[in-house]
Short mmCIF file of all heavy atoms in Angstrom, two decimals:
data_model
loop_
_atom_site.label_atom_id
_atom_site.label_comp_id
_atom_site.label_asym_id
_atom_site.label_seq_id
_atom_site.Cartn_x
_atom_site.Cartn_y
_atom_site.Cartn_z
N MET D 1 15.38 9.65 14.12
CA MET D 1 14.76 8.35 13.90
C MET D 1 13.78 8.42 12.76
O MET D 1 12.92 9.25 12.65
CB MET D 1 14.01 7.88 15.19
CG MET D 1 13.60 6.44 15.16
SD MET D 1 12.86 5.91 16.75
CE MET D 1 11.21 6.59 16.55
N THR D 2 13.95 7.47 11.83
CA THR D 2 13.08 7.41 10.70
C THR D 2 12.09 6.21 10.87
O THR D 2 12.52 5.08 11.11
CB THR D 2 13.83 7.19 9.40
OG1 THR D 2 14.76 8.27 9.29
CG2 THR D 2 12.87 7.18 8.18
N VAL D 3 10.84 6.55 10.83
CA VAL D 3 9.79 5.49 10.88
C VAL D 3 9.28 5.25 9.48
O VAL D 3 8.78 6.19 8.80
CB VAL D 3 8.64 5.91 11.86
CG1 VAL D 3 7.57 4.85 11.84
CG2 VAL D 3 9.21 6.13 13.23
N ARG D 4 9.34 4.02 8.98
CA ARG D 4 8.80 3.75 7.73
C ARG D 4 7.42 3.24 7.90
O ARG D 4 7.23 2.16 8.43
CB ARG D 4 9.69 2.66 7.03
CG ARG D 4 9.15 2.15 5.72
CD ARG D 4 9.17 3.22 4.65
NE ARG D 4 9.06 2.65 3.28
CZ ARG D 4 7.90 2.40 2.72
NH1 ARG D 4 6.75 2.58 3.33
NH2 ARG D 4 7.82 1.94 1.48
N LEU D 5 6.40 4.00 7.51
CA LEU D 5 4.99 3.60 7.63
C LEU D 5 4.70 2.52 6.57
O LEU D 5 5.12 2.59 5.48
CB LEU D 5 4.05 4.82 7.36
CG LEU D 5 4.18 5.88 8.42
CD1 LEU D 5 3.45 7.17 7.92
CD2 LEU D 5 3.56 5.46 9.77
N ILE D 6 3.94 1.55 7.09
CA ILE D 6 3.71 0.35 6.29
C ILE D 6 2.95 0.69 4.96
O ILE D 6 3.15 0.06 3.89
CB ILE D 6 2.96 -0.72 7.12
CG1 ILE D 6 2.84 -2.04 6.34
CG2 ILE D 6 1.61 -0.23 7.54
CD1 ILE D 6 2.31 -3.22 7.13
N ALA D 7 2.12 1.65 5.04
CA ALA D 7 1.26 1.95 3.83
C ALA D 7 1.56 3.35 3.21
O ALA D 7 0.77 3.82 2.45
CB ALA D 7 -0.23 1.82 4.18
N ASP D 8 2.69 3.87 3.58
CA ASP D 8 3.16 5.13 3.01
C ASP D 8 3.97 4.88 1.74
O ASP D 8 5.18 4.94 1.74
CB ASP D 8 3.93 5.92 4.02
CG ASP D 8 4.42 7.25 3.54
OD1 ASP D 8 3.77 7.77 2.59
OD2 ASP D 8 5.39 7.81 4.05
N PHE D 9 3.22 4.58 0.66
CA PHE D 9 3.85 4.13 -0.53
C PHE D 9 4.75 5.24 -1.20
O PHE D 9 5.70 4.91 -1.88
CB PHE D 9 2.83 3.67 -1.56
CG PHE D 9 1.95 2.60 -1.00
CD1 PHE D 9 0.60 2.65 -1.09
CD2 PHE D 9 2.50 1.45 -0.42
CE1 PHE D 9 -0.26 1.61 -0.56
CE2 PHE D 9 1.73 0.43 0.09
CZ PHE D 9 0.34 0.52 0.06
N ASN D 10 4.37 6.50 -1.05
CA ASN D 10 5.16 7.57 -1.67
C ASN D 10 6.16 8.18 -0.70
O ASN D 10 6.80 9.21 -1.04
CB ASN D 10 4.27 8.59 -2.39
CG ASN D 10 3.39 9.30 -1.41
OD1 ASN D 10 3.44 9.02 -0.19
ND2 ASN D 10 2.60 10.20 -1.88
N ASP D 11 6.26 7.59 0.50
CA ASP D 11 7.28 8.01 1.44
C ASP D 11 7.22 9.49 1.80
O ASP D 11 8.29 10.13 1.95
CB ASP D 11 8.75 7.63 0.96
CG ASP D 11 8.96 6.14 1.08
OD1 ASP D 11 8.57 5.55 2.10
OD2 ASP D 11 9.54 5.56 0.13
N ASP D 12 6.06 10.06 1.93
CA ASP D 12 5.99 11.45 2.32
C ASP D 12 5.66 11.62 3.74
O ASP D 12 5.43 12.74 4.24
CB ASP D 12 5.02 12.22 1.42
CG ASP D 12 3.53 11.83 1.64
OD1 ASP D 12 3.34 10.80 2.31
OD2 ASP D 12 2.65 12.46 1.11
N GLY D 13 5.56 10.49 4.49
CA GLY D 13 5.46 10.59 5.97
C GLY D 13 4.05 10.57 6.41
O GLY D 13 3.76 10.63 7.61
N VAL D 14 3.08 10.42 5.54
CA VAL D 14 1.66 10.29 5.95
C VAL D 14 0.99 9.31 4.99
O VAL D 14 1.24 9.22 3.85
CB VAL D 14 1.00 11.71 5.96
CG1 VAL D 14 0.98 12.33 4.60
CG2 VAL D 14 -0.40 11.57 6.47
N VAL D 15 0.04 8.56 5.53
CA VAL D 15 -0.79 7.67 4.74
C VAL D 15 -2.09 8.36 4.41
O VAL D 15 -2.87 8.59 5.29
CB VAL D 15 -1.04 6.32 5.50
CG1 VAL D 15 -1.92 5.38 4.66
CG2 VAL D 15 0.24 5.65 5.93
N ASP D 16 -2.23 8.78 3.14
CA ASP D 16 -3.39 9.51 2.74
C ASP D 16 -3.89 9.08 1.38
O ASP D 16 -3.50 8.08 0.83
CB ASP D 16 -3.06 11.00 2.90
CG ASP D 16 -1.98 11.43 1.99
OD1 ASP D 16 -1.55 10.69 1.11
OD2 ASP D 16 -1.47 12.60 2.09
N THR D 17 -4.73 10.00 0.77
CA THR D 17 -5.31 9.70 -0.48
C THR D 17 -4.30 9.47 -1.63
O THR D 17 -4.53 8.80 -2.55
CB THR D 17 -6.35 10.78 -0.88
OG1 THR D 17 -5.74 12.01 -0.89
CG2 THR D 17 -7.52 10.76 0.05
N SER D 18 -3.16 10.17 -1.55
CA SER D 18 -2.15 10.05 -2.58
C SER D 18 -1.59 8.65 -2.58
O SER D 18 -1.28 8.05 -3.64
CB SER D 18 -1.04 11.02 -2.42
OG SER D 18 -0.49 11.02 -1.21
N ASP D 19 -1.48 8.02 -1.39
CA ASP D 19 -1.08 6.63 -1.30
C ASP D 19 -2.19 5.72 -1.81
O ASP D 19 -1.89 4.71 -2.44
CB ASP D 19 -0.70 6.29 0.13
CG ASP D 19 0.42 7.17 0.66
OD1 ASP D 19 1.51 7.10 0.11
OD2 ASP D 19 0.20 7.86 1.62
N HIS D 20 -3.39 6.05 -1.54
CA HIS D 20 -4.54 5.27 -2.01
C HIS D 20 -4.55 5.19 -3.49
O HIS D 20 -4.80 4.20 -4.09
CB HIS D 20 -5.84 5.86 -1.49
CG HIS D 20 -7.03 5.04 -1.88
ND1 HIS D 20 -8.12 5.58 -2.56
CD2 HIS D 20 -7.31 3.74 -1.72
CE1 HIS D 20 -8.99 4.61 -2.72
NE2 HIS D 20 -8.54 3.50 -2.30
N LEU D 21 -4.24 6.34 -4.21
CA LEU D 21 -4.27 6.35 -5.67
C LEU D 21 -3.15 5.44 -6.19
O LEU D 21 -3.40 4.68 -7.18
CB LEU D 21 -4.02 7.81 -6.20
CG LEU D 21 -5.19 8.78 -5.98
CD1 LEU D 21 -4.77 10.16 -6.34
CD2 LEU D 21 -6.39 8.29 -6.78
N LEU D 22 -2.03 5.41 -5.52
CA LEU D 22 -0.93 4.52 -5.96
C LEU D 22 -1.33 3.07 -5.78
O LEU D 22 -1.06 2.19 -6.59
CB LEU D 22 0.33 4.77 -5.12
CG LEU D 22 0.99 6.13 -5.41
CD1 LEU D 22 2.12 6.37 -4.40
CD2 LEU D 22 1.53 6.20 -6.81
N PHE D 23 -2.09 2.80 -4.67
CA PHE D 23 -2.57 1.48 -4.38
C PHE D 23 -3.54 0.96 -5.43
O PHE D 23 -3.50 -0.15 -5.94
CB PHE D 23 -3.13 1.38 -2.99
CG PHE D 23 -3.61 0.01 -2.56
CD1 PHE D 23 -2.63 -0.88 -2.07
CD2 PHE D 23 -4.86 -0.46 -2.69
CE1 PHE D 23 -3.01 -2.14 -1.67
CE2 PHE D 23 -5.21 -1.69 -2.35
CZ PHE D 23 -4.28 -2.57 -1.80
N VAL D 24 -4.51 1.85 -5.71
CA VAL D 24 -5.52 1.54 -6.73
C VAL D 24 -4.91 1.15 -8.10
O VAL D 24 -5.40 0.28 -8.77
CB VAL D 24 -6.50 2.71 -6.89
CG1 VAL D 24 -7.40 2.50 -8.09
CG2 VAL D 24 -7.41 2.82 -5.64
N ALA D 25 -3.80 1.85 -8.40
CA ALA D 25 -3.14 1.64 -9.68
C ALA D 25 -2.53 0.18 -9.80
O ALA D 25 -2.35 -0.29 -10.92
CB ALA D 25 -2.04 2.66 -9.98
N VAL D 26 -2.24 -0.43 -8.70
CA VAL D 26 -1.66 -1.73 -8.77
C VAL D 26 -2.63 -2.82 -8.24
O VAL D 26 -2.24 -4.00 -8.21
CB VAL D 26 -0.34 -1.84 -7.92
CG1 VAL D 26 0.68 -0.87 -8.46
CG2 VAL D 26 -0.61 -1.53 -6.48
N PHE D 27 -3.85 -2.40 -7.82
CA PHE D 27 -4.71 -3.37 -7.22
C PHE D 27 -5.07 -4.53 -8.22
O PHE D 27 -5.31 -4.29 -9.38
CB PHE D 27 -6.04 -2.65 -6.89
CG PHE D 27 -6.99 -3.49 -6.10
CD1 PHE D 27 -6.88 -3.62 -4.66
CD2 PHE D 27 -8.00 -4.23 -6.70
CE1 PHE D 27 -7.74 -4.38 -4.03
CE2 PHE D 27 -8.85 -5.02 -5.94
CZ PHE D 27 -8.73 -5.07 -4.60
N GLY D 28 -5.04 -5.73 -7.79
CA GLY D 28 -5.29 -6.88 -8.58
C GLY D 28 -4.18 -7.53 -9.27
O GLY D 28 -4.26 -8.59 -9.81
N LEU D 29 -2.96 -6.90 -9.15
CA LEU D 29 -1.79 -7.43 -9.73
C LEU D 29 -1.15 -8.52 -8.82
O LEU D 29 -1.28 -8.50 -7.62
CB LEU D 29 -0.68 -6.35 -9.97
CG LEU D 29 -1.10 -5.26 -10.95
CD1 LEU D 29 0.04 -4.21 -11.09
CD2 LEU D 29 -1.46 -5.84 -12.35
N SER D 30 -0.47 -9.51 -9.48
CA SER D 30 0.15 -10.52 -8.75
C SER D 30 1.63 -10.48 -9.07
O SER D 30 2.05 -9.93 -10.10
CB SER D 30 -0.44 -11.92 -9.13
OG SER D 30 -1.78 -12.04 -8.71
N GLU D 31 2.41 -11.20 -8.22
CA GLU D 31 3.89 -11.31 -8.45
C GLU D 31 4.13 -11.74 -9.84
O GLU D 31 3.55 -12.71 -10.35
CB GLU D 31 4.42 -12.31 -7.45
CG GLU D 31 5.81 -12.08 -6.98
CD GLU D 31 6.22 -12.85 -5.80
OE1 GLU D 31 5.36 -13.57 -5.23
OE2 GLU D 31 7.42 -12.87 -5.41
N GLY D 32 5.02 -11.03 -10.57
CA GLY D 32 5.30 -11.38 -11.97
C GLY D 32 4.61 -10.57 -12.98
O GLY D 32 4.96 -10.50 -14.16
N ASP D 33 3.49 -9.91 -12.54
CA ASP D 33 2.71 -9.04 -13.45
C ASP D 33 3.53 -7.71 -13.63
O ASP D 33 4.18 -7.24 -12.70
CB ASP D 33 1.35 -8.68 -12.89
CG ASP D 33 0.36 -9.88 -12.94
OD1 ASP D 33 0.66 -10.80 -13.68
OD2 ASP D 33 -0.70 -9.76 -12.26
N ASP D 34 3.34 -7.11 -14.78
CA ASP D 34 3.95 -5.77 -15.03
C ASP D 34 3.34 -4.79 -14.02
O ASP D 34 2.17 -4.76 -13.89
CB ASP D 34 3.63 -5.26 -16.44
CG ASP D 34 4.50 -5.93 -17.47
OD1 ASP D 34 5.48 -6.56 -17.07
OD2 ASP D 34 4.21 -5.85 -18.68
N GLY D 35 4.19 -4.07 -13.30
CA GLY D 35 3.72 -3.01 -12.35
C GLY D 35 3.58 -3.50 -10.99
O GLY D 35 3.30 -2.77 -10.08
N PHE D 36 3.75 -4.84 -10.76
CA PHE D 36 3.60 -5.34 -9.42
C PHE D 36 4.69 -4.73 -8.53
O PHE D 36 5.85 -4.66 -8.93
CB PHE D 36 3.76 -6.88 -9.37
CG PHE D 36 3.69 -7.49 -8.01
CD1 PHE D 36 2.55 -7.66 -7.35
CD2 PHE D 36 4.87 -7.82 -7.36
CE1 PHE D 36 2.44 -8.17 -6.04
CE2 PHE D 36 4.84 -8.39 -6.03
CZ PHE D 36 3.65 -8.53 -5.42
N ASN D 37 4.25 -4.29 -7.31
CA ASN D 37 5.15 -3.66 -6.38
C ASN D 37 5.07 -4.40 -5.06
O ASN D 37 3.98 -4.32 -4.41
CB ASN D 37 4.81 -2.21 -6.22
CG ASN D 37 5.82 -1.47 -5.34
OD1 ASN D 37 6.50 -2.09 -4.49
ND2 ASN D 37 5.96 -0.17 -5.51
N ALA D 38 6.07 -5.16 -4.64
CA ALA D 38 6.01 -5.94 -3.44
C ALA D 38 5.75 -5.11 -2.23
O ALA D 38 5.19 -5.57 -1.20
CB ALA D 38 7.30 -6.78 -3.28
N ASP D 39 6.13 -3.80 -2.27
CA ASP D 39 5.86 -2.96 -1.12
C ASP D 39 4.41 -2.75 -0.85
O ASP D 39 4.00 -2.45 0.27
CB ASP D 39 6.51 -1.55 -1.37
CG ASP D 39 7.98 -1.61 -1.24
OD1 ASP D 39 8.53 -2.58 -0.72
OD2 ASP D 39 8.64 -0.60 -1.67
N MET D 40 3.59 -2.93 -1.90
CA MET D 40 2.16 -2.71 -1.77
C MET D 40 1.43 -4.03 -1.48
O MET D 40 0.22 -3.96 -1.25
CB MET D 40 1.62 -2.04 -3.05
CG MET D 40 2.20 -0.62 -3.20
SD MET D 40 1.65 0.10 -4.73
CE MET D 40 2.55 1.69 -4.62
N ASP D 41 2.13 -5.15 -1.56
CA ASP D 41 1.55 -6.38 -1.15
C ASP D 41 1.78 -6.52 0.37
O ASP D 41 2.70 -7.21 0.81
CB ASP D 41 2.28 -7.50 -1.92
CG ASP D 41 1.68 -8.93 -1.50
OD1 ASP D 41 0.61 -8.98 -0.95
OD2 ASP D 41 2.38 -9.92 -1.77
N LEU D 42 0.92 -5.87 1.09
CA LEU D 42 1.12 -5.58 2.55
C LEU D 42 1.20 -6.91 3.34
O LEU D 42 1.79 -6.98 4.34
CB LEU D 42 0.12 -4.59 3.10
CG LEU D 42 0.17 -3.23 2.42
CD1 LEU D 42 -0.98 -2.37 2.87
CD2 LEU D 42 1.54 -2.57 2.71
N ASP D 43 0.41 -7.90 2.89
CA ASP D 43 0.41 -9.17 3.66
C ASP D 43 1.37 -10.22 3.07
O ASP D 43 1.44 -11.30 3.53
CB ASP D 43 -1.04 -9.75 3.84
CG ASP D 43 -1.63 -10.16 2.48
OD1 ASP D 43 -0.96 -9.96 1.45
OD2 ASP D 43 -2.81 -10.62 2.52
N GLY D 44 2.08 -9.85 1.96
CA GLY D 44 3.09 -10.67 1.42
C GLY D 44 2.64 -11.98 0.77
O GLY D 44 3.43 -12.93 0.71
N ASP D 45 1.39 -12.00 0.33
CA ASP D 45 0.90 -13.28 -0.23
C ASP D 45 1.04 -13.34 -1.71
O ASP D 45 0.63 -14.30 -2.40
CB ASP D 45 -0.61 -13.53 0.19
CG ASP D 45 -1.58 -12.58 -0.55
OD1 ASP D 45 -1.09 -11.58 -1.12
OD2 ASP D 45 -2.78 -12.84 -0.50
N GLY D 46 1.67 -12.38 -2.35
CA GLY D 46 2.01 -12.45 -3.81
C GLY D 46 0.97 -11.80 -4.68
O GLY D 46 1.12 -11.77 -5.86
N THR D 47 -0.17 -11.33 -4.12
CA THR D 47 -1.21 -10.66 -4.83
C THR D 47 -1.64 -9.37 -4.18
O THR D 47 -1.68 -9.35 -2.90
CB THR D 47 -2.43 -11.56 -5.11
OG1 THR D 47 -2.03 -12.74 -5.74
CG2 THR D 47 -3.50 -10.88 -5.83
N ILE D 48 -1.89 -8.32 -4.89
CA ILE D 48 -2.35 -7.08 -4.27
C ILE D 48 -3.86 -7.10 -4.37
O ILE D 48 -4.42 -6.97 -5.47
CB ILE D 48 -1.71 -5.86 -4.97
CG1 ILE D 48 -0.21 -5.92 -4.76
CG2 ILE D 48 -2.32 -4.55 -4.39
CD1 ILE D 48 0.55 -4.92 -5.67
N GLY D 49 -4.53 -7.36 -3.20
CA GLY D 49 -5.96 -7.51 -3.23
C GLY D 49 -6.66 -6.95 -2.02
O GLY D 49 -6.09 -6.10 -1.27
N ILE D 50 -7.81 -7.47 -1.77
CA ILE D 50 -8.69 -6.97 -0.65
C ILE D 50 -7.97 -7.05 0.71
O ILE D 50 -7.96 -6.07 1.48
CB ILE D 50 -9.96 -7.76 -0.56
CG1 ILE D 50 -10.84 -7.51 -1.83
CG2 ILE D 50 -10.76 -7.39 0.71
CD1 ILE D 50 -11.46 -6.11 -1.94
N PRO D 51 -7.30 -8.14 1.02
CA PRO D 51 -6.60 -8.20 2.35
C PRO D 51 -5.61 -7.06 2.54
O PRO D 51 -5.43 -6.50 3.62
CB PRO D 51 -5.92 -9.52 2.42
CG PRO D 51 -6.68 -10.37 1.44
CD PRO D 51 -7.08 -9.41 0.35
N ASP D 52 -4.91 -6.70 1.44
CA ASP D 52 -3.92 -5.61 1.47
C ASP D 52 -4.61 -4.33 1.62
O ASP D 52 -4.17 -3.43 2.35
CB ASP D 52 -3.08 -5.63 0.18
CG ASP D 52 -2.41 -7.01 -0.03
OD1 ASP D 52 -1.65 -7.41 0.79
OD2 ASP D 52 -2.69 -7.64 -1.07
N PHE D 53 -5.78 -4.19 0.97
CA PHE D 53 -6.57 -2.96 1.06
C PHE D 53 -7.00 -2.74 2.55
O PHE D 53 -6.98 -1.67 3.10
CB PHE D 53 -7.80 -2.99 0.16
CG PHE D 53 -8.64 -1.76 0.28
CD1 PHE D 53 -8.19 -0.52 -0.21
CD2 PHE D 53 -9.91 -1.87 0.86
CE1 PHE D 53 -8.98 0.57 -0.12
CE2 PHE D 53 -10.70 -0.69 0.93
CZ PHE D 53 -10.20 0.50 0.45
N LEU D 54 -7.41 -3.83 3.19
CA LEU D 54 -7.90 -3.69 4.60
C LEU D 54 -6.72 -3.28 5.50
O LEU D 54 -6.93 -2.45 6.43
CB LEU D 54 -8.45 -5.06 5.09
CG LEU D 54 -9.77 -5.53 4.33
CD1 LEU D 54 -10.17 -6.90 4.86
CD2 LEU D 54 -10.86 -4.53 4.57
N ILE D 55 -5.56 -3.73 5.24
CA ILE D 55 -4.34 -3.29 6.06
C ILE D 55 -4.08 -1.80 5.76
O ILE D 55 -3.79 -1.05 6.65
CB ILE D 55 -3.10 -4.16 5.67
CG1 ILE D 55 -3.31 -5.59 6.09
CG2 ILE D 55 -1.86 -3.60 6.27
CD1 ILE D 55 -2.28 -6.56 5.59
N PHE D 56 -4.22 -1.44 4.45
CA PHE D 56 -4.08 -0.07 4.12
C PHE D 56 -5.07 0.85 4.88
O PHE D 56 -4.71 1.91 5.45
CB PHE D 56 -4.30 0.18 2.58
CG PHE D 56 -4.15 1.58 2.17
CD1 PHE D 56 -2.95 2.16 1.90
CD2 PHE D 56 -5.35 2.37 1.99
CE1 PHE D 56 -2.90 3.50 1.53
CE2 PHE D 56 -5.23 3.66 1.62
CZ PHE D 56 -3.94 4.26 1.35
N VAL D 57 -6.33 0.40 4.88
CA VAL D 57 -7.36 1.22 5.54
C VAL D 57 -7.04 1.33 7.05
O VAL D 57 -7.19 2.40 7.67
CB VAL D 57 -8.76 0.50 5.39
CG1 VAL D 57 -9.76 1.13 6.30
CG2 VAL D 57 -9.19 0.66 3.94
N ASP D 58 -6.54 0.22 7.61
CA ASP D 58 -6.17 0.32 9.08
C ASP D 58 -5.05 1.34 9.32
O ASP D 58 -5.00 1.95 10.40
CB ASP D 58 -5.60 -1.04 9.55
CG ASP D 58 -6.65 -1.98 9.98
OD1 ASP D 58 -7.83 -1.54 10.14
OD2 ASP D 58 -6.36 -3.13 10.15
N ASN D 59 -4.23 1.62 8.30
CA ASN D 59 -3.13 2.54 8.50
C ASN D 59 -3.42 3.96 7.93
O ASN D 59 -2.60 4.82 8.02
CB ASN D 59 -1.84 1.97 7.75
CG ASN D 59 -1.25 0.80 8.57
OD1 ASN D 59 -0.48 0.98 9.44
ND2 ASN D 59 -1.63 -0.41 8.18
N PHE D 60 -4.57 4.02 7.33
CA PHE D 60 -4.94 5.35 6.65
C PHE D 60 -4.97 6.43 7.67
O PHE D 60 -5.53 6.27 8.82
CB PHE D 60 -6.31 5.22 5.94
CG PHE D 60 -6.56 6.32 5.05
CD1 PHE D 60 -6.16 6.39 3.75
CD2 PHE D 60 -7.29 7.48 5.51
CE1 PHE D 60 -6.34 7.45 2.90
CE2 PHE D 60 -7.57 8.50 4.63
CZ PHE D 60 -7.09 8.52 3.35
N GLY D 61 -4.30 7.56 7.38
CA GLY D 61 -4.31 8.67 8.33
C GLY D 61 -3.13 8.63 9.25
O GLY D 61 -2.85 9.68 9.97
N SER D 62 -2.32 7.56 9.24
CA SER D 62 -1.16 7.49 10.11
C SER D 62 -0.08 8.48 9.58
O SER D 62 0.00 8.77 8.33
CB SER D 62 -0.56 6.08 10.05
OG SER D 62 -1.44 5.20 10.57
N SER D 63 0.68 8.95 10.46
CA SER D 63 1.86 9.84 10.02
C SER D 63 3.04 9.47 10.87
O SER D 63 2.97 8.96 11.95
CB SER D 63 1.49 11.31 10.22
OG SER D 63 1.13 11.59 11.50
N ALA D 64 4.22 9.66 10.24
CA ALA D 64 5.49 9.27 10.88
C ALA D 64 5.89 10.30 11.96
O ALA D 64 5.52 11.44 11.90
CB ALA D 64 6.59 9.14 9.85
CA1 CA E 101 2.13 8.98 1.67
CA1 CA E 102 -1.45 -9.40 -0.65
#
């Protein structure tokens, strides 16, 4: 069984600082911007911002 963690952006099975670095790199981008990644728009509102960060924090430390 494969569990896809919501905030495991690099798919290594754990939500940790390496995922945080990926998140920081896209923080503030909106749909249509260069580098926007819909996987990191955790609440699906079209912008990668504070609400997505809060979801990330909730999932930080999770492992599959
Ligand atoms: Ca990860
Ligand atoms: Ca968002």
Side-chain angles (χ1 to χ4, degrees):
M1 189 174 81
T2 301
V3 178
R4 175 67 163 86
L5 293 166
I6 186 172
D8 181 22
F9 303 129
N10 62 0
D11 286 319
D12 67 351
V14 61
V15 180
D16 61 11
T17 53
S18 56
D19 301 299
H20 183 235
L21 289 175
L22 293 172
F23 184 84
V24 167
V26 298
F27 189 85
L29 297 179
S30 297
E31 212 167 352
D33 288 344
D34 284 345
F36 177 79
N37 185 336
D39 286 347
M40 296 178 181
D41 180 17
L42 298 173
D43 64 358
D45 70 347
T47 299
I48 298 167
I50 295 291
D52 306 301
F53 180 69
L54 294 177
I55 295 170
F56 178 84
V57 168
D58 274 347
N59 287 275
F60 193 86
S62 298
S63 55

